[in-house]
Amino acid sequence: MKKIKLVGILAAAVLIGSVISIPLINNHTAYKVEKALCEIPLPEETELMESLSQAGKLTGNGNGMQYFGAILIKSELSLEELETYYSDYRSNEWECLVETQEGQSIEVIEHKALQFSEEIEDGGYYIVYSWGSGNSLLKELDIRGH
C-alpha cells in the first residue's frame, strides 16, 4: 500500500513539475531572443532604452507557440539607416526587424497587450525585434500556444 501511495505522489510531482517547468523553459527561450538582440552592438548615435521578451500565441491564426524578443532604441539615424545596419545581423527574414515605435504598445503583437514601460513622447524611437524558435515538443505542451 505504501508503494502505491509513493508512486502516486511521484506521478503527481512529475505532472505538477511539468506544468510549471514547460512555461518557464519557453519563457527562457524567448528571453534568449531578447538577449541576442541586446548583444548586437548599437549603431552610432543610438541608445538602448529597454528590452523585453514574450512567449505564447502572439500573432496569426491557429495553434502555435511563438518566441518574441525586442529592444527599444532611441536614435538620430533614420529608419532606412537602421534597417541597413541591422540587416547585417539577420540570418533569416524573422530577425532584427526595425520599425518606428510610436507609443508604448507593440503593434506587431496581435493577441496580447505587450508594451514598453519607457514613455515615448517624440520621434526618434524604434523597435528592433526578432521571432525565435524552440523545442517543438515544449511548444506543443505549453497551453499558451493554443
Short mmCIF file of all heavy atoms in Angstrom, two decimals, residues 27 29-40 42 47-55 58 66-74 86 94-101 104-109 114-118 120 126-132:
data_model
loop_
_atom_site.label_atom_id
_atom_site.label_comp_id
_atom_site.label_asym_id
_atom_site.label_seq_id
_atom_site.Cartn_x
_atom_site.Cartn_y
_atom_site.Cartn_z
N ASN A 27 9.59 30.56 -21.65
CA ASN A 27 9.92 31.96 -21.34
C ASN A 27 11.42 32.20 -21.49
O ASN A 27 11.84 33.25 -21.98
CB ASN A 27 9.48 32.33 -19.92
CG ASN A 27 7.98 32.48 -19.80
OD1 ASN A 27 7.26 32.56 -20.78
ND2 ASN A 27 7.50 32.52 -18.57
N THR A 29 13.41 30.60 -23.48
CA THR A 29 13.70 30.60 -24.92
C THR A 29 13.43 31.99 -25.51
O THR A 29 14.23 32.50 -26.30
CB THR A 29 12.87 29.53 -25.64
OG1 THR A 29 13.18 28.25 -25.07
CG2 THR A 29 13.15 29.50 -27.13
N ALA A 30 12.32 32.60 -25.12
CA ALA A 30 12.01 33.96 -25.58
C ALA A 30 13.05 34.95 -25.05
O ALA A 30 13.47 35.86 -25.77
CB ALA A 30 10.61 34.37 -25.14
N TYR A 31 13.48 34.77 -23.81
CA TYR A 31 14.49 35.64 -23.24
C TYR A 31 15.80 35.56 -24.03
O TYR A 31 16.49 36.57 -24.21
CB TYR A 31 14.74 35.30 -21.77
CG TYR A 31 15.92 36.03 -21.19
CD1 TYR A 31 15.85 37.39 -20.91
CD2 TYR A 31 17.13 35.37 -20.96
CE1 TYR A 31 16.94 38.07 -20.41
CE2 TYR A 31 18.22 36.04 -20.46
CZ TYR A 31 18.13 37.39 -20.18
OH TYR A 31 19.22 38.07 -19.70
N LYS A 32 16.14 34.38 -24.53
CA LYS A 32 17.36 34.24 -25.34
C LYS A 32 17.25 35.05 -26.63
O LYS A 32 18.26 35.57 -27.12
CB LYS A 32 17.65 32.77 -25.63
CG LYS A 32 18.11 32.01 -24.39
CD LYS A 32 18.66 30.64 -24.71
CE LYS A 32 17.63 29.70 -25.23
NZ LYS A 32 18.09 28.30 -25.37
N VAL A 33 16.05 35.18 -27.19
CA VAL A 33 15.84 36.02 -28.38
C VAL A 33 16.11 37.48 -28.01
O VAL A 33 16.80 38.20 -28.74
CB VAL A 33 14.41 35.83 -28.95
CG1 VAL A 33 14.15 36.78 -30.11
CG2 VAL A 33 14.17 34.39 -29.36
N GLU A 34 15.57 37.90 -26.88
CA GLU A 34 15.80 39.27 -26.38
C GLU A 34 17.30 39.51 -26.13
O GLU A 34 17.85 40.53 -26.55
CB GLU A 34 15.03 39.48 -25.08
CG GLU A 34 15.33 40.76 -24.36
CD GLU A 34 14.73 40.82 -22.97
OE1 GLU A 34 13.94 39.93 -22.59
OE2 GLU A 34 15.05 41.79 -22.24
N LYS A 35 17.94 38.58 -25.47
CA LYS A 35 19.35 38.71 -25.13
C LYS A 35 20.22 38.82 -26.38
O LYS A 35 21.17 39.60 -26.43
CB LYS A 35 19.79 37.53 -24.28
CG LYS A 35 21.20 37.62 -23.77
CD LYS A 35 21.55 36.44 -22.89
CE LYS A 35 23.01 36.51 -22.47
NZ LYS A 35 23.46 35.28 -21.86
N ALA A 36 19.90 38.05 -27.41
CA ALA A 36 20.65 38.11 -28.67
C ALA A 36 20.56 39.51 -29.28
O ALA A 36 21.55 40.03 -29.81
CB ALA A 36 20.13 37.06 -29.65
N LEU A 37 19.40 40.13 -29.20
CA LEU A 37 19.25 41.50 -29.71
C LEU A 37 20.08 42.48 -28.89
O LEU A 37 20.71 43.39 -29.44
CB LEU A 37 17.79 41.92 -29.69
CG LEU A 37 16.89 41.30 -30.75
CD1 LEU A 37 15.43 41.61 -30.46
CD2 LEU A 37 17.28 41.77 -32.14
N CYS A 38 20.09 42.29 -27.58
CA CYS A 38 20.84 43.19 -26.69
C CYS A 38 22.35 43.06 -26.91
O CYS A 38 23.09 44.01 -26.63
CB CYS A 38 20.51 42.89 -25.23
SG CYS A 38 18.85 43.38 -24.75
N GLU A 39 22.81 41.93 -27.39
CA GLU A 39 24.23 41.71 -27.60
C GLU A 39 24.75 42.29 -28.91
O GLU A 39 25.95 42.39 -29.12
CB GLU A 39 24.55 40.22 -27.52
CG GLU A 39 24.41 39.68 -26.12
CD GLU A 39 24.60 38.18 -26.01
OE1 GLU A 39 24.66 37.49 -27.07
OE2 GLU A 39 24.66 37.69 -24.88
N ILE A 40 23.85 42.69 -29.80
CA ILE A 40 24.27 43.32 -31.05
C ILE A 40 24.77 44.73 -30.71
O ILE A 40 24.07 45.49 -30.03
CB ILE A 40 23.09 43.39 -32.05
CG1 ILE A 40 22.66 41.99 -32.46
CG2 ILE A 40 23.48 44.22 -33.28
CD1 ILE A 40 21.39 41.95 -33.29
N LEU A 42 25.28 48.54 -30.74
CA LEU A 42 24.39 49.60 -31.22
C LEU A 42 25.10 50.46 -32.25
O LEU A 42 26.31 50.70 -32.14
CB LEU A 42 23.94 50.49 -30.06
CG LEU A 42 23.01 49.84 -29.04
CD1 LEU A 42 22.82 50.76 -27.84
CD2 LEU A 42 21.67 49.50 -29.66
N GLU A 47 20.88 54.84 -28.63
CA GLU A 47 20.88 54.47 -27.22
C GLU A 47 19.83 53.39 -26.97
O GLU A 47 18.70 53.49 -27.45
CB GLU A 47 20.55 55.72 -26.39
CG GLU A 47 20.50 55.52 -24.91
CD GLU A 47 20.11 56.78 -24.16
OE1 GLU A 47 19.85 57.83 -24.79
OE2 GLU A 47 20.03 56.71 -22.92
N LEU A 48 20.22 52.35 -26.22
CA LEU A 48 19.27 51.30 -25.83
C LEU A 48 18.43 51.81 -24.68
O LEU A 48 18.95 52.22 -23.65
CB LEU A 48 20.02 50.03 -25.41
CG LEU A 48 19.16 48.88 -24.89
CD1 LEU A 48 18.24 48.34 -25.98
CD2 LEU A 48 20.04 47.78 -24.33
N MET A 49 17.12 51.80 -24.84
CA MET A 49 16.21 52.31 -23.82
C MET A 49 15.61 51.19 -22.97
O MET A 49 15.41 51.34 -21.77
CB MET A 49 15.08 53.13 -24.46
CG MET A 49 15.56 54.26 -25.35
SD MET A 49 16.69 55.40 -24.53
CE MET A 49 15.58 56.23 -23.46
N GLU A 50 15.29 50.06 -23.63
CA GLU A 50 14.58 48.98 -22.92
C GLU A 50 14.62 47.72 -23.77
O GLU A 50 14.77 47.77 -24.98
CB GLU A 50 13.13 49.43 -22.70
CG GLU A 50 12.30 48.55 -21.84
CD GLU A 50 10.91 49.13 -21.60
OE1 GLU A 50 10.67 50.33 -21.83
OE2 GLU A 50 10.06 48.33 -21.19
N SER A 51 14.44 46.58 -23.12
CA SER A 51 14.32 45.31 -23.84
C SER A 51 13.25 44.47 -23.15
O SER A 51 12.99 44.65 -21.96
CB SER A 51 15.66 44.56 -23.88
OG SER A 51 16.03 44.14 -22.60
N LEU A 52 12.66 43.56 -23.93
CA LEU A 52 11.65 42.65 -23.36
C LEU A 52 11.50 41.43 -24.23
O LEU A 52 11.98 41.38 -25.36
CB LEU A 52 10.31 43.36 -23.17
CG LEU A 52 9.64 44.08 -24.34
CD1 LEU A 52 9.03 43.14 -25.34
CD2 LEU A 52 8.57 45.00 -23.82
N SER A 53 10.81 40.43 -23.68
CA SER A 53 10.54 39.19 -24.41
C SER A 53 9.20 38.63 -23.97
O SER A 53 8.70 38.96 -22.89
CB SER A 53 11.65 38.17 -24.19
OG SER A 53 11.79 37.87 -22.83
N GLN A 54 8.65 37.75 -24.81
CA GLN A 54 7.36 37.14 -24.51
C GLN A 54 7.26 35.83 -25.27
O GLN A 54 7.67 35.74 -26.43
CB GLN A 54 6.22 38.07 -24.95
CG GLN A 54 4.84 37.58 -24.63
CD GLN A 54 4.51 37.73 -23.16
OE1 GLN A 54 4.75 38.75 -22.57
NE2 GLN A 54 3.96 36.71 -22.57
N ALA A 55 6.70 34.82 -24.61
CA ALA A 55 6.40 33.54 -25.26
C ALA A 55 4.90 33.32 -25.20
O ALA A 55 4.26 33.66 -24.21
CB ALA A 55 7.13 32.40 -24.55
N LEU A 58 1.15 34.77 -30.08
CA LEU A 58 1.25 36.22 -30.14
C LEU A 58 0.67 36.83 -31.41
O LEU A 58 0.21 37.97 -31.39
CB LEU A 58 2.71 36.65 -29.99
CG LEU A 58 3.40 36.11 -28.73
CD1 LEU A 58 4.89 36.44 -28.76
CD2 LEU A 58 2.74 36.66 -27.49
N GLN A 66 5.02 31.03 -29.99
CA GLN A 66 5.94 31.95 -30.64
C GLN A 66 6.84 32.59 -29.59
O GLN A 66 6.43 32.80 -28.45
CB GLN A 66 5.16 33.01 -31.41
CG GLN A 66 4.35 32.40 -32.53
CD GLN A 66 3.23 33.29 -33.01
OE1 GLN A 66 2.65 34.07 -32.25
NE2 GLN A 66 2.92 33.17 -34.28
N TYR A 67 8.07 32.87 -30.00
CA TYR A 67 9.06 33.46 -29.10
C TYR A 67 9.46 34.81 -29.67
O TYR A 67 9.98 34.90 -30.78
CB TYR A 67 10.28 32.54 -29.01
CG TYR A 67 9.92 31.15 -28.58
CD1 TYR A 67 9.82 30.12 -29.51
CD2 TYR A 67 9.66 30.85 -27.25
CE1 TYR A 67 9.49 28.84 -29.12
CE2 TYR A 67 9.32 29.57 -26.85
CZ TYR A 67 9.23 28.57 -27.79
OH TYR A 67 8.89 27.30 -27.40
N PHE A 68 9.22 35.85 -28.89
CA PHE A 68 9.42 37.23 -29.35
C PHE A 68 10.40 37.94 -28.44
O PHE A 68 10.29 37.85 -27.21
CB PHE A 68 8.06 37.96 -29.32
CG PHE A 68 8.10 39.39 -29.72
CD1 PHE A 68 8.14 39.75 -31.05
CD2 PHE A 68 8.10 40.40 -28.76
CE1 PHE A 68 8.16 41.09 -31.43
CE2 PHE A 68 8.12 41.73 -29.13
CZ PHE A 68 8.15 42.08 -30.46
N GLY A 69 11.33 38.64 -29.03
CA GLY A 69 12.25 39.48 -28.28
C GLY A 69 12.35 40.83 -28.97
O GLY A 69 12.28 40.91 -30.21
N ALA A 70 12.48 41.90 -28.18
CA ALA A 70 12.54 43.24 -28.78
C ALA A 70 13.40 44.16 -27.94
O ALA A 70 13.53 43.98 -26.72
CB ALA A 70 11.13 43.82 -28.90
N ILE A 71 13.97 45.15 -28.61
CA ILE A 71 14.64 46.24 -27.92
C ILE A 71 14.02 47.55 -28.41
O ILE A 71 13.60 47.66 -29.56
CB ILE A 71 16.17 46.25 -28.13
CG1 ILE A 71 16.55 46.33 -29.61
CG2 ILE A 71 16.81 45.04 -27.46
CD1 ILE A 71 18.04 46.51 -29.86
N LEU A 72 13.97 48.50 -27.53
CA LEU A 72 13.54 49.86 -27.85
C LEU A 72 14.80 50.70 -27.89
O LEU A 72 15.56 50.72 -26.91
CB LEU A 72 12.57 50.39 -26.80
CG LEU A 72 12.11 51.83 -26.98
CD1 LEU A 72 11.27 51.99 -28.25
CD2 LEU A 72 11.33 52.30 -25.76
N ILE A 73 15.02 51.37 -29.00
CA ILE A 73 16.19 52.23 -29.12
C ILE A 73 15.76 53.65 -29.45
O ILE A 73 14.68 53.87 -30.01
CB ILE A 73 17.18 51.72 -30.19
CG1 ILE A 73 16.51 51.62 -31.57
CG2 ILE A 73 17.79 50.40 -29.77
CD1 ILE A 73 17.46 51.25 -32.71
N LYS A 74 16.58 54.59 -29.07
CA LYS A 74 16.40 55.98 -29.47
C LYS A 74 17.61 56.33 -30.32
O LYS A 74 18.74 56.10 -29.90
CB LYS A 74 16.30 56.90 -28.26
CG LYS A 74 16.00 58.33 -28.66
CD LYS A 74 15.61 59.18 -27.50
CE LYS A 74 15.28 60.56 -28.07
NZ LYS A 74 14.39 61.29 -27.25
N TYR A 86 21.00 46.90 -39.20
CA TYR A 86 20.56 45.64 -38.58
C TYR A 86 20.42 44.50 -39.59
O TYR A 86 20.44 43.33 -39.21
CB TYR A 86 19.27 45.85 -37.79
CG TYR A 86 19.54 46.46 -36.44
CD1 TYR A 86 19.31 47.81 -36.21
CD2 TYR A 86 20.06 45.70 -35.41
CE1 TYR A 86 19.58 48.39 -34.98
CE2 TYR A 86 20.34 46.26 -34.17
CZ TYR A 86 20.09 47.60 -33.96
OH TYR A 86 20.38 48.15 -32.74
N TRP A 94 13.08 36.72 -40.19
CA TRP A 94 12.34 36.99 -38.96
C TRP A 94 13.20 37.59 -37.86
O TRP A 94 12.76 37.69 -36.73
CB TRP A 94 11.68 35.70 -38.46
CG TRP A 94 10.78 35.09 -39.48
CD1 TRP A 94 11.02 33.97 -40.22
CD2 TRP A 94 9.52 35.58 -39.92
NE1 TRP A 94 9.99 33.73 -41.08
CE2 TRP A 94 9.04 34.72 -40.92
CE3 TRP A 94 8.75 36.69 -39.57
CZ2 TRP A 94 7.83 34.91 -41.57
CZ3 TRP A 94 7.54 36.88 -40.22
CH2 TRP A 94 7.09 36.00 -41.20
N GLU A 95 14.41 37.98 -38.19
CA GLU A 95 15.33 38.52 -37.19
C GLU A 95 15.68 39.97 -37.47
O GLU A 95 15.75 40.39 -38.64
CB GLU A 95 16.63 37.70 -37.15
CG GLU A 95 16.44 36.29 -36.67
CD GLU A 95 17.75 35.52 -36.63
OE1 GLU A 95 18.75 35.97 -37.21
OE2 GLU A 95 17.74 34.46 -36.00
N CYS A 96 15.90 40.71 -36.41
CA CYS A 96 16.39 42.09 -36.47
C CYS A 96 15.55 42.98 -37.38
O CYS A 96 16.07 43.72 -38.21
CB CYS A 96 17.85 42.12 -36.89
SG CYS A 96 18.95 41.29 -35.75
N LEU A 97 14.25 42.90 -37.23
CA LEU A 97 13.34 43.75 -37.98
C LEU A 97 13.25 45.10 -37.26
O LEU A 97 13.20 45.15 -36.03
CB LEU A 97 11.96 43.09 -38.07
CG LEU A 97 11.98 41.69 -38.68
CD1 LEU A 97 10.64 41.01 -38.52
CD2 LEU A 97 12.39 41.75 -40.14
N VAL A 98 13.21 46.17 -38.02
CA VAL A 98 13.22 47.52 -37.45
C VAL A 98 11.98 48.27 -37.91
O VAL A 98 11.65 48.27 -39.09
CB VAL A 98 14.48 48.30 -37.88
CG1 VAL A 98 14.51 49.68 -37.21
CG2 VAL A 98 15.75 47.53 -37.57
N GLU A 99 11.30 48.90 -36.96
CA GLU A 99 10.14 49.74 -37.26
C GLU A 99 10.16 50.96 -36.36
O GLU A 99 10.72 50.92 -35.26
CB GLU A 99 8.83 48.98 -37.03
CG GLU A 99 8.61 47.83 -37.99
CD GLU A 99 7.26 47.14 -37.78
OE1 GLU A 99 6.41 47.68 -37.05
OE2 GLU A 99 7.08 46.06 -38.34
N THR A 100 9.52 52.02 -36.81
CA THR A 100 9.36 53.20 -35.98
C THR A 100 8.42 52.85 -34.83
O THR A 100 7.41 52.17 -35.04
CB THR A 100 8.76 54.36 -36.81
OG1 THR A 100 9.63 54.61 -37.92
CG2 THR A 100 8.61 55.61 -35.97
N GLN A 101 8.75 53.28 -33.63
CA GLN A 101 7.90 53.00 -32.46
C GLN A 101 7.20 54.28 -32.03
O GLN A 101 7.84 55.25 -31.66
CB GLN A 101 8.75 52.44 -31.31
CG GLN A 101 7.95 52.07 -30.08
CD GLN A 101 7.02 50.89 -30.31
OE1 GLN A 101 7.30 50.02 -31.11
NE2 GLN A 101 5.92 50.86 -29.60
N GLN A 104 3.74 53.35 -26.49
CA GLN A 104 4.33 52.26 -25.75
C GLN A 104 3.91 50.88 -26.24
O GLN A 104 4.63 49.91 -26.07
CB GLN A 104 3.97 52.41 -24.27
CG GLN A 104 4.63 53.63 -23.64
CD GLN A 104 4.11 53.88 -22.26
OE1 GLN A 104 3.15 54.62 -22.09
NE2 GLN A 104 4.72 53.26 -21.28
N SER A 105 2.76 50.78 -26.85
CA SER A 105 2.22 49.50 -27.29
C SER A 105 3.00 48.94 -28.47
O SER A 105 3.36 49.67 -29.39
CB SER A 105 0.76 49.67 -27.67
OG SER A 105 0.20 48.45 -28.05
N ILE A 106 3.24 47.62 -28.44
CA ILE A 106 3.95 46.95 -29.52
C ILE A 106 2.91 46.39 -30.48
O ILE A 106 2.19 45.45 -30.16
CB ILE A 106 4.87 45.84 -28.95
CG1 ILE A 106 5.92 46.48 -28.04
CG2 ILE A 106 5.51 45.05 -30.08
CD1 ILE A 106 6.79 45.51 -27.31
N GLU A 107 2.85 47.01 -31.65
CA GLU A 107 1.78 46.72 -32.60
C GLU A 107 1.92 45.38 -33.32
O GLU A 107 0.94 44.86 -33.82
CB GLU A 107 1.69 47.85 -33.63
CG GLU A 107 1.38 49.21 -33.01
CD GLU A 107 0.05 49.26 -32.27
OE1 GLU A 107 -0.92 48.62 -32.73
OE2 GLU A 107 -0.02 49.94 -31.24
N VAL A 108 3.12 44.82 -33.43
CA VAL A 108 3.29 43.55 -34.14
C VAL A 108 2.74 42.38 -33.35
O VAL A 108 2.58 41.28 -33.89
CB VAL A 108 4.76 43.29 -34.53
CG1 VAL A 108 5.24 44.32 -35.53
CG2 VAL A 108 5.66 43.22 -33.34
N ILE A 109 2.44 42.58 -32.09
CA ILE A 109 1.82 41.55 -31.25
C ILE A 109 0.31 41.72 -31.36
O ILE A 109 -0.23 42.76 -30.99
CB ILE A 109 2.27 41.68 -29.77
CG1 ILE A 109 3.78 41.60 -29.65
CG2 ILE A 109 1.57 40.67 -28.90
CD1 ILE A 109 4.36 40.27 -30.06
N LEU A 114 1.19 43.85 -25.18
CA LEU A 114 2.60 43.93 -24.79
C LEU A 114 3.06 45.35 -25.09
O LEU A 114 2.81 45.88 -26.18
CB LEU A 114 3.42 42.92 -25.59
CG LEU A 114 4.86 42.73 -25.19
CD1 LEU A 114 4.98 42.25 -23.74
CD2 LEU A 114 5.55 41.73 -26.11
N GLN A 115 3.72 45.96 -24.09
CA GLN A 115 4.17 47.33 -24.30
C GLN A 115 5.44 47.61 -23.53
O GLN A 115 5.78 46.92 -22.58
CB GLN A 115 3.08 48.32 -23.91
CG GLN A 115 2.69 48.31 -22.45
CD GLN A 115 1.58 49.30 -22.16
OE1 GLN A 115 0.76 49.59 -23.02
NE2 GLN A 115 1.58 49.84 -20.97
N PHE A 116 6.14 48.64 -23.99
CA PHE A 116 7.33 49.11 -23.31
C PHE A 116 6.91 49.98 -22.12
O PHE A 116 5.86 50.62 -22.16
CB PHE A 116 8.20 49.95 -24.25
CG PHE A 116 8.82 49.16 -25.36
CD1 PHE A 116 8.43 49.32 -26.67
CD2 PHE A 116 9.84 48.25 -25.08
CE1 PHE A 116 9.03 48.60 -27.69
CE2 PHE A 116 10.43 47.52 -26.09
CZ PHE A 116 10.03 47.69 -27.40
N SER A 117 7.71 50.01 -21.10
CA SER A 117 7.42 50.87 -19.96
C SER A 117 7.96 52.28 -20.18
O SER A 117 7.49 53.23 -19.55
CB SER A 117 7.99 50.28 -18.66
OG SER A 117 9.38 50.14 -18.77
N GLU A 118 8.92 52.43 -21.07
CA GLU A 118 9.51 53.73 -21.40
C GLU A 118 8.44 54.65 -21.99
O GLU A 118 7.71 54.26 -22.90
CB GLU A 118 10.66 53.55 -22.39
CG GLU A 118 11.32 54.81 -22.84
CD GLU A 118 12.23 55.42 -21.80
OE1 GLU A 118 12.70 54.69 -20.90
OE2 GLU A 118 12.47 56.63 -21.88
N ILE A 120 7.17 57.22 -24.42
CA ILE A 120 7.58 57.61 -25.77
C ILE A 120 6.74 58.81 -26.18
O ILE A 120 5.55 58.68 -26.46
CB ILE A 120 7.41 56.44 -26.75
CG1 ILE A 120 8.28 55.27 -26.30
CG2 ILE A 120 7.76 56.87 -28.17
CD1 ILE A 120 8.06 53.99 -27.04
N TYR A 126 12.66 53.61 -32.02
CA TYR A 126 12.50 52.49 -32.94
C TYR A 126 12.45 51.19 -32.16
O TYR A 126 13.08 51.06 -31.11
CB TYR A 126 13.67 52.43 -33.94
CG TYR A 126 13.79 53.68 -34.77
CD1 TYR A 126 14.59 54.73 -34.33
CD2 TYR A 126 13.10 53.81 -35.97
CE1 TYR A 126 14.70 55.90 -35.08
CE2 TYR A 126 13.21 54.97 -36.72
CZ TYR A 126 14.00 56.02 -36.26
OH TYR A 126 14.11 57.16 -37.00
N ILE A 127 11.71 50.23 -32.69
CA ILE A 127 11.71 48.87 -32.13
C ILE A 127 12.51 48.00 -33.08
O ILE A 127 12.36 48.07 -34.30
CB ILE A 127 10.27 48.34 -31.94
CG1 ILE A 127 10.31 46.94 -31.33
CG2 ILE A 127 9.48 48.36 -33.22
CD1 ILE A 127 8.93 46.37 -30.97
N VAL A 128 13.40 47.20 -32.50
CA VAL A 128 14.13 46.18 -33.23
C VAL A 128 13.68 44.86 -32.62
O VAL A 128 13.80 44.67 -31.40
CB VAL A 128 15.66 46.35 -33.10
CG1 VAL A 128 16.37 45.29 -33.93
CG2 VAL A 128 16.08 47.75 -33.51
N TYR A 129 13.13 43.97 -33.42
CA TYR A 129 12.57 42.73 -32.86
C TYR A 129 12.90 41.51 -33.71
O TYR A 129 13.22 41.62 -34.88
CB TYR A 129 11.06 42.86 -32.66
CG TYR A 129 10.25 43.04 -33.92
CD1 TYR A 129 9.68 41.95 -34.57
CD2 TYR A 129 10.05 44.31 -34.46
CE1 TYR A 129 8.93 42.12 -35.71
CE2 TYR A 129 9.30 44.49 -35.61
CZ TYR A 129 8.74 43.39 -36.23
OH TYR A 129 8.00 43.56 -37.38
N SER A 130 12.83 40.37 -33.04
CA SER A 130 13.07 39.08 -33.70
C SER A 130 12.06 38.06 -33.21
O SER A 130 11.58 38.14 -32.08
CB SER A 130 14.49 38.57 -33.37
OG SER A 130 15.47 39.38 -33.91
N TRP A 131 11.79 37.10 -34.07
CA TRP A 131 10.98 35.94 -33.72
C TRP A 131 11.92 34.76 -33.65
O TRP A 131 12.68 34.50 -34.59
CB TRP A 131 9.91 35.69 -34.77
CG TRP A 131 8.92 36.81 -34.90
CD1 TRP A 131 8.96 37.82 -35.81
CD2 TRP A 131 7.78 37.04 -34.09
NE1 TRP A 131 7.90 38.67 -35.61
CE2 TRP A 131 7.16 38.21 -34.56
CE3 TRP A 131 7.23 36.37 -33.00
CZ2 TRP A 131 6.00 38.72 -33.99
CZ3 TRP A 131 6.08 36.89 -32.43
CH2 TRP A 131 5.48 38.04 -32.92
N GLY A 132 11.90 34.02 -32.55
CA GLY A 132 12.79 32.89 -32.38
C GLY A 132 12.08 31.56 -32.52
O GLY A 132 10.89 31.50 -32.83
#
